[in-house]
Amino acid sequence: MSRPYPPHDLATFSDLEMMDRFVPAPDLRSWIRMTFLNEDSKLYNPDHAHLRDAALGILWTNCDNSRNMRAVVGQAELMPPMAMGKWQKARAEQQIADWFDGMPDFLLTFSAPAAAGMDDPSFCALVEHELYHCAQKLDDYGMPKFKQDGTPSFAIRGHDVEEFVGVVARYGAEAAGVSAMVDAAQRAPMIGRASIDGACGTCLRAVA
Ligand SMILES: [Zn+2]
C-alpha cells in the first residue's frame, strides 16, 4: 500500500487567501495501521503493539506552527482534549468526534507542507516519532496498565532524550544522560532505506 500524501491544496503553507485548515486523513490512518501495527509488515514495530487497541484520529494541516525557532511538523495528543473552559472543551470534543465518528484515544496531526516535501524514510521516521509519544500507562510495578474493561490505559510519553549538542560535546554522553541514544545511533539502523523503499511502493519514484 503506497504512502498517502496530503491533499494538494494543503501542501503549501497558508498564504493570506488560504485559511488554516485541519482535514481528517483516514487513508493515512489505514496506512499507519498496515505499515507499523500489522505483524506481517516489514516495518512492524512491536513497541507500538498496544496501539492495535487504540483509536487513532489523524489530521493533516497547513497551519504553520513554528515555536522556539523550530517548525513543528507533527504532534500527538491524548484525547479527549483537556484544559479548556466548559464550552470550549465540549465544542472541541464535538468537532473531533464528528471528524472521526467518535472520540479517538489519540489525535495525531501532521504538517501537510512538511510531509509533502519528505522522502519516505523521513516521513516514516516522523510518523513513528509521533507513535512513540502514544504510550500505554505503567502501573506502580512498571507493568502496562489496563482500564477496568481490559483495554489499555493510554498516556503521552515524553522524548527519551532532551539535551543540547554543546553539553554532550563538553561533558560526554554519559554525563549528559544520552548514552542509550548514542549507542543506538552508532549501530546500523534496523530499518534501512532499502526496506522502506520496498515497503512503501512509492519510494522508488520518491528517492530515485
Ligand atoms: Zn516529539
Side-chain angles (χ1 to χ4, degrees):
M1 183 180 176
S2 51
R3 163 191 158 194
Y5 277 80
H8 191 69
D9 57 345
L10 281 192
T12 45
F13 274 121
S14 36
D15 52 38
L16 290 175
E17 281 140 52
M18 176 83 177
M19 274 175 62
D20 286 340
R21 302 205 60 218
F22 293 85
V23 178
D27 54 342
L28 182 54
R29 179 173 54 188
S30 317
W31 178 83
I32 288 173
R33 285 205 171 280
M34 293 277 296
T35 307
F36 301 111
L37 308 182
N38 167 17
E39 286 183 41
D40 297 328
S41 162
K42 271 189 190 173
L43 300 188
Y44 171 67
N45 185 346
D47 287 353
H48 308 309
H50 56 282
L51 294 181
R52 277 184 299 204
D53 297 319
L56 302 177
I58 315 274
L59 292 172
W60 293 118
T61 185
N62 63 339
C63 180
D64 183 15
N65 183 6
S66 301
R67 59 177 183 222
N68 303 332
M69 299 188 296
R70 299 180 72 170
V72 174
V73 293
Q75 179 167 286
E77 296 163 81
L78 189 64
M79 293 288 110
M82 291 178 291
M84 286 186 256
K86 212 163 181 187
W87 280 356
Q88 289 165 307
K89 181 172 161 62
R91 197 178 57 214
E93 285 183 10
Q94 179 191 333
Q95 171 71 82
I96 291 163
D98 284 353
W99 271 332
F100 302 113
D101 227 1
M103 183 58 61
D105 295 303
F106 292 102
L107 177 64
L108 305 185
T109 308
F110 294 100
S111 162
M118 284 181 178
D119 62 17
D120 286 346
S122 307
F123 184 70
C124 287
L126 168 64
V127 168
E128 282 218 73
H129 177 107
E130 300 311 329
L131 293 179
Y132 267 108
H133 278 305
C134 302
Q136 184 167 0
K137 264 189 197 161
L138 300 178
D139 65 16
D140 295 342
Y141 306 99
M143 299 302 285
K145 198 169 174 176
F146 293 87
K147 289 184 274 200
Q148 279 185 338
D149 63 3
T151 57
S153 193
F154 295 116
I156 290 289
R157 200 175 93 171
H159 298 140
D160 291 331
V161 165
E162 191 139 349
E163 189 47 281
F164 293 102
V165 171
V167 170
V168 179
R170 285 168 64 84
Y171 297 96
E174 202 166 326
V178 298
S179 301
M181 181 67 80
V182 172
D183 290 348
Q186 279 172 346
R187 288 193 291 270
M190 289 163 69
I191 295 170
R193 184 168 285 266
S195 43
I196 290 180
D197 290 356
C200 285
T202 52
C203 205
L204 291 174
R205 186 164 48 81
V207 299

